[in-house]
Amino acid sequence: MDYGDVPGWISAIASALTLTVAIVAAVAAFRQVCEARTLRLEQAQPFVVLDVEVSGTGHPHTDLVIRNIGQTLAYDVEFKFTPALQSTLDDDNTVGPLADASLLKSGIPSMPPGREYRILFENMPARFESDLTRRYDLEIAYSNTRGEKETLKQVVDLDLFYGYSTVRVHDTHHIAKTLRAWAKSAGVRSF
């Protein structure tokens, strides 16, 4: 049996296998480059969140805290609360209802990474004694540096603050408050 030029056949098969391996490697490399690019774009995004935290003045007050925890600047940050945001402090607030705060009503033109805004939100015991809703559906819309609009849907559930005990920690705010009271009782006008 004559199989022709055996070394030629072996060389052709080896070349075909080498070409196949090169094509598979190129496809795998292309996929890795695409995944790396997607990951890099996802990591280099703004990420704006709103949370409710115990106020710096201490319990029972809470603050609305807005943060950009992403890696880039967020543009045109807007908030939509359903139902409309209300607070038991709205009637006591000299600047008007919380929902009318410029930050929440008109939005934030730009918010750099790590930026945080805190707004006094609520007296929680008064909230639980009131008929006000304790759950809000929230949409936070913002644009990234490429102009792409992102919308984050979030639930603000105030029931998370109900039914647990807190430990009161006295800090410099409480020390200053005590010193002012002592000074007032001693007749000191200024210190």
Side-chain angles (χ1 to χ4, degrees):
M1 271 207 250
D2 184 18
Y3 291 105
D5 183 20
V6 173
W9 278 98
I10 292 174
S11 177
I13 291 171
S15 294
L17 287 174
T18 301
L19 178 62
T20 302
V21 168
I23 290 171
V24 168
V27 168
F30 179 74
R31 285 184 179 167
Q32 285 183 341
V33 167
C34 290
E35 286 180 27
R37 181 177 187 275
T38 300
L39 180 62
R40 188 176 62 248
L41 288 174
E42 287 177 2
Q43 288 176 337
Q45 291 287 328
F47 193 67
V48 179
V49 295
L50 183 141
D51 201 1
V52 178
E53 295 180 2
V54 174
S55 179
T57 61
H59 187 72
H61 291 98
T62 55
D63 294 335
L64 285 182
V65 182
I66 303 163
R67 289 187 186 99
N68 180 0
I69 60 173
Q71 300 297 315
T72 60
L73 193 66
Y75 293 97
D76 304 320
V77 182
E78 299 171 340
F79 306 93
K80 181 183 175 193
F81 288 89
T82 306
L85 186 63
Q86 291 181 296
S87 170
T88 59
L89 302 175
D90 283 347
D91 295 334
D92 299 334
N93 192 343
T94 58
V95 295
L98 179 63
D100 290 342
S102 176
L103 187 68
L104 298 173
K105 190 174 185 179
S106 303
I108 304 168
S110 63
M111 191 170 186
R115 179 66 165 112
E116 175 182 292
Y117 293 98
R118 286 185 165 271
I119 306 169
L120 180 62
F121 172 50
E122 191 60 86
N123 176 327
M124 294 310 279
R127 180 64 170 230
F128 289 107
E129 292 170 2
S130 76
D131 291 332
L132 296 177
T133 186
R134 297 196 301 235
R135 179 187 167 101
Y136 294 95
D137 292 316
L138 171 64
E139 288 185 14
I140 304 173
Y142 51 89
S143 297
N144 61 25
T145 54
R146 292 180 307 284
E148 299 166 340
K149 196 81 165 171
E150 294 280 334
T151 301
L152 174 68
K153 293 184 180 189
Q154 192 176 327
V155 173
V156 178
D157 188 356
L158 301 178
D159 281 334
L160 296 174
F161 289 89
Y162 186 69
Y164 69 89
S165 299
T166 61
V167 174
R168 179 159 241 166
V169 177
H170 294 282
D171 57 10
T172 54
H173 169 76
H174 294 93
I175 294 169
K177 190 175 177 181
T178 303
L179 286 173
R180 276 192 221 102
W182 283 348
K184 185 176 180 181
S185 69
V188 177
R189 295 179 189 218
S190 168
F191 61 93

